[in-house]
Structures are given as structure tokens and as C-alpha cells.
Amino acid sequence: MNITPTTHEKLAAAAELLAALAYPVRLKIIWLLAEQGQQSVNHLAEQLAMDQSAISHQLRILRQAKLVITHRDGRQIFYQVTDQHVVHIIRDAVLHANE
Amino acid sequence: MNITPTTHEKLAAAAELLAALAYPVRLKIIWLLAEQGQQSVNHLAEQLAMDQSAISHQLRILRQAKLVITHRDGRQIFYQVTDQHVVHIIRDAVLHANE
DNA sequence: TAAACATATGAACATATTTTCATATATAAT
DNA sequence: ATTATATATGAAAATATGTTCATATGTTTA
């Protein structure tokens, strides 16, 4: 009934996932990807009116958390949401935060 | 199809909610409250082997995010999870992060 | 009323995160 | 080959977050 080492680790992993989501710019990125499908880095940067570099740094965080995956086409790199589960968590958070 | 001001605000609110959750100690607090029901501050501090002050600061963040509510009984203050929706979001995050 | 207990809070410090700037890497076009 | 385009990355600067320490506030007990 206490926090076992296993629970501890699972919660730590969950905290890491949540931390990757817990930033407006990153939520917006995932939102755009969920709504519009895959997007190039520049396209995201334009839509969010941010520096290419800043976006790239944020995309790295999403990548490392496996929230997005990429593929290259020519010199562009396209990002897409890894799976719908992520979108589901965000939708829940949006609903709860705005109820 | 872009991010409207309304969407912008909703995502900002969601990011704030997620940020309140995105820290191991805070997840553990909510976990304990969800499993064991309401707990006093000292009891939480003991179980998590943390300073009373540090826990209080973290509890304030959870309170401000309306993730927990309190009531006083004598000189103790008992915390409990605001609603099951929160627990649901965390459970989802735990599952996704550990799959 | 004074002492003890439970919790909260402000300020200083330590640590982590985000942005910016310069530059590196990879691909395509000339 | 050289130049242009798209993206990534390291380091410094700017900002935010968490912890600690001292102390304040509210409540009970002696």
C-alpha cells in the first residue's frame, strides 16, 4: 500500500512523459501535427512564429520522449505524432483544465 | 485549421495542468492520496521522506492547480484528490510511459 | 496565557529549462 | 565543386523551478 520501487519508477517515467508535454509550445506542436498530419520543421516554425532553432530544440524534447517520429524527404524533415494515445492524454488535459 | 486564440488559451491551461503533474514528488503525492484517501501533511512528508516545508511547497502547487483540496481537522490539514479525472490522466500517463 | 504542534510562506540558494546565437551537418541545385 | 536550403546542435545568457532555512500563522494542550 506504500510506494514500491516499481511504482516509484513508473511514476518517474510518467513524470518525464508529462514534463515533455507540459509546455505550451510543445502542446501546440503536437496539436498542429494531430490536426494537420505531418509537418516540416520550417512549416511548424512559421505557424508558431518561432525561430527554427528554438523549434528544433523543442522537437528534440518531443522526439526523446518518443512523442513524435520523423522521416526525411529530400532536405526536409517531417514530424508526426507517434500515436493517438498521446493525443488522447492531451485532449483529456485540455478538457479537464477548461471545465 | 490554425491555432485560434481560443485554442491557444485552452492549450496554455492544459500545459499548466500538465506542469503541475509533471514532477515525481507531486505524482507520488497524488498517487498516495488516490490509493489511501485523504492524508495529513506530516503523514505525506513521512511517507515520502521529505521535509515538511518542501512538501508544503509542492502541495501549494497542486492546490493552485486545483488538483487537490483540503480541509482542516484540529491542527492537521488533510489533502485529498479533487476528482477522479485527475487520477485518470495520471493512470494514462503511467500506462503510456511504461508500455 | 504559555508552550507545543501542524502547516504555510518568504527569501536565498541550487538546479533545471528555454531561448538565442553561431555554427555544423546533410541534401539539393547550379 | 560551389552555393543554397533545411535542420540540428553546443554554449552562453535569461528565466523558471525546487529545496532549504528561518519564521509566521493557526490550533490545541497544560
Side-chain angles (χ1 to χ4, degrees):
Chain A
M1 197 59 161
N2 228 329
I3 292 188
T4 65
T6 309
T7 302
H8 175 96
E9 276 160 37
K10 286 187 177 178
L11 290 177
E16 225 176 295
L17 170 68
L18 292 167
L21 292 174
Y23 192 67
V25 168
R26 292 195 293 269
L27 278 191
K28 285 187 201 167
I29 290 172
I30 294 181
W31 191 264
L32 288 173
L33 297 179
E35 269 201 333
Q36 310 178 348
Q38 57 166 41
Q39 307 280 325
S40 71
V41 177
N42 268 345
H43 192 203
L44 287 170
E46 277 167 28
Q47 288 181 89
L48 298 173
M50 285 184 68
D51 263 31
Q52 177 270 316
S53 176
I55 286 283
S56 255
H57 279 297
Q58 297 307 320
L59 286 171
R60 178 157 50 130
I61 292 171
L62 293 175
R63 246 187 291 131
Q64 286 172 341
K66 297 193 208 288
L67 294 170
V68 296
I69 55 178
T70 65
H71 71 271
R72 179 185 282 276
D73 181 5
R75 44 191 155 182
Q76 308 192 89
I77 292 187
F78 287 91
Y79 280 77
Q80 58 188 307
V81 177
T82 301
D83 65 50
Q84 282 309 110
H85 199 175
V86 174
V87 178
H88 181 244
I89 292 175
I90 293 178
R91 192 165 47 72
D92 265 23
V94 169
L95 288 176
H96 185 80
N98 295 280
E99 77 195 359
Chain B
M1 198 56 163
N2 226 330
I3 293 188
T4 65
T6 308
T7 301
H8 174 95
E9 276 159 39
K10 287 188 177 178
L11 290 177
E16 226 176 294
L17 170 69
L18 291 168
L21 293 172
Y23 191 66
V25 168
R26 292 195 293 268
L27 280 190
K28 285 187 202 168
I29 290 172
I30 294 182
W31 191 263
L32 288 173
L33 297 179
E35 268 201 334
Q36 311 178 348
Q38 57 166 42
Q39 307 281 325
S40 72
V41 177
N42 267 346
H43 192 203
L44 287 170
E46 276 168 29
Q47 290 182 88
L48 297 172
M50 286 184 67
D51 262 31
Q52 177 270 317
S53 175
I55 287 281
S56 256
H57 280 297
Q58 296 307 319
L59 286 171
R60 177 158 50 130
I61 292 171
L62 292 175
R63 247 187 291 129
Q64 286 173 341
K66 297 191 207 288
L67 293 170
V68 296
I69 55 179
T70 66
H71 70 273
R72 179 185 282 275
D73 181 4
R75 42 189 158 186
Q76 309 194 88
I77 293 187
F78 286 92
Y79 280 77
Q80 58 187 305
V81 176
T82 301
D83 65 48
Q84 282 308 110
H85 198 175
V86 173
V87 178
H88 181 244
I89 291 175
I90 293 179
R91 193 168 45 73
D92 264 24
V94 169
L95 288 175
H96 185 79
N98 294 279
E99 77 195 358

